[in-house]
Amino acid sequence: DAKTTQPPSMDCAEGRAANLPCNHSTISGNEYVYWYRQIHSQGPQYIIHGLKNNETNEMASLIITEDRKSSTLILPHATLRDTAVYYCIVRGSGGTSYGKLTFGQGTILTVHP
Amino acid sequence: EAQVTQNPRYLITVTGKKLTVTCSQNMNHEYMSWYRQDPGLGLRQIYYSMNVEVTDKGDVPEGYKVSRKEKRNFPLILESPSPNQTSLYFCASGLAGYGYTFGSGTRLTVV
């Protein structure tokens, strides 16, 4: 799986958009970008994933650059409960590529009042 | 409610005493996996299973065993636990092409 690079930490004011970047310059054509978050010591929570088109769900939006070498997770109106570690992961969609899921160090997002 | 259930949530045991941490999912997911999380080392995959009777090693399989005899269950077995297996353990399940659902975690202490 392609390696990802994320900033170790970011801050955001409550009510503002949080934009979390991720670099994945070695991503291959059939690899997806997944985002998870972990609040304190709870189990990681799936947020969103995409291949090359931008995606949006009730939690967040995912913007993937045209060359697919980087992406941005957007939390449109951050709340204090969005304070968490956010993980960007790149992986294949089928076979053993789906099974092997490697978490990096992620980005610690702190939302301030 | 769709969920991944791990038991126990907390466990303190002694070195060498065999133990099993259970994981069960009610979503008919093909894929299941175990992770451990340690300060400074993040989440590391121990074993995963793509379907019944199919298991593969993750990044840190030493000292652990798993089995997948039925689709819903994926127990993690520590035959002879050691203090370096003290950790927070997570089970996950999912379907190909979708995100994983994680359990609430099992905090294991081996003394």
Side-chain angles (χ1 to χ4, degrees), chain B residues 21-97:
Chain B
V21 184
T22 63
C23 175
S24 179
Q25 51 95 3
N26 61 0
M27 297 165 281
N28 202 35
H29 285 168
E30 302 152 341
Y31 164 88
M32 297 187 76
S33 181
W34 278 101
Y35 289 82
R36 62 177 289 175
Q37 186 168 32
D38 304 287
L41 296 176
L43 283 151
R44 294 179 292 170
Q45 192 175 36
I46 303 171
Y47 270 96
Y48 62 95
S49 169
M50 299 304 296
N51 215 322
V52 175
E53 302 292 0
V54 180
T55 62
D56 278 296
K57 294 178 181 179
D59 297 315
V60 288
E62 296 78 18
Y64 303 94
K65 285 176 57 176
V66 293
S67 68
R68 188 91 182 272
K69 292 185 171 58
E70 49 189 340
K71 204 169 191 178
R72 64 181 291 122
N73 295 322
F74 192 47
L76 179 69
I77 303 158
L78 285 72
E79 295 269 4
S80 182
S82 63
N84 65 11
Q85 292 177 299
T86 291
S87 188
L88 178 59
Y89 291 85
F90 290 104
C91 180
S93 74
L95 288 170

Side-chain angles (χ1 to χ4, degrees), chain A residues 97-110:
Chain A
S97 296
Y98 181 74
K100 204 84 169 60
L101 184 67
T102 302
F103 286 80
Q105 294 302 309
T107 296
I108 300 171
L109 175 68
T110 304

